[in-house]
Amino acid sequence: MFPPTIYIISNFKNGTIYVGVTSNLPKRIYEHKNNIINGFSSKYGCKCLVYYEIHTNIEDAILREKQIKSRSRKYKLNLIETMNPDWVDLY
């Protein structure tokens, strides 16, 4: 069992970003990397895990995902740069 996690994936540094929530981060990133699920991330080639936050329960994780999604792009880029200034793939 994996903890609920908020994650941000990107197609390249300062490129398109996608914010998501999952209860199984390794599986979900694998799905993004292999275009298993069609949608925004597959359309824009977002496959690089650049940020994540672990939460204790799914309800808090979902609230945090909504909070991040509602914030500006600059805020999201700041989150990424604080944890991962070189935008390396954390997967």
Side-chain angles (χ1 to χ4, degrees):
M1 182 89 167
F2 296 96
T5 306
I6 303 302
Y7 65 94
I8 300 176
I9 55 175
S10 181
N11 53 358
F12 53 85
K13 186 173 183 173
N14 294 316
T16 302
I17 56 175
Y18 172 84
V19 179
V21 62
T22 183
S23 60
N24 187 334
L25 186 61
K27 177 183 176 204
R28 188 67 182 115
I29 300 305
Y30 176 86
E31 292 169 346
H32 283 296
K33 287 184 172 291
N34 293 282
N35 293 321
I36 292 172
I37 298 174
N38 290 326
F40 182 91
S41 63
S42 61
K43 179 178 179 181
Y44 292 96
C46 297
K47 298 179 180 189
C48 183
L49 176 65
V50 292
Y51 178 85
Y52 67 91
E53 290 179 12
I54 297 172
H55 291 266
T56 55
N57 62 65
I58 195 66
E59 293 82 9
D60 288 346
I62 291 169
L63 286 174
R64 179 66 172 142
E65 177 202 25
K66 290 178 182 180
Q67 178 190 45
I68 292 171
K69 282 184 172 183
S70 73
R71 302 293 298 266
S72 68
R73 175 175 172 82
K74 183 177 180 178
Y75 175 84
K76 294 169 196 157
L77 294 177
N78 253 358
L79 281 178
I80 296 166
E81 301 254 335
T82 299
M83 173 188 260
N84 188 4
D86 296 323
W87 290 59
V88 297
D89 189 352
L90 303 171
Y91 182 71

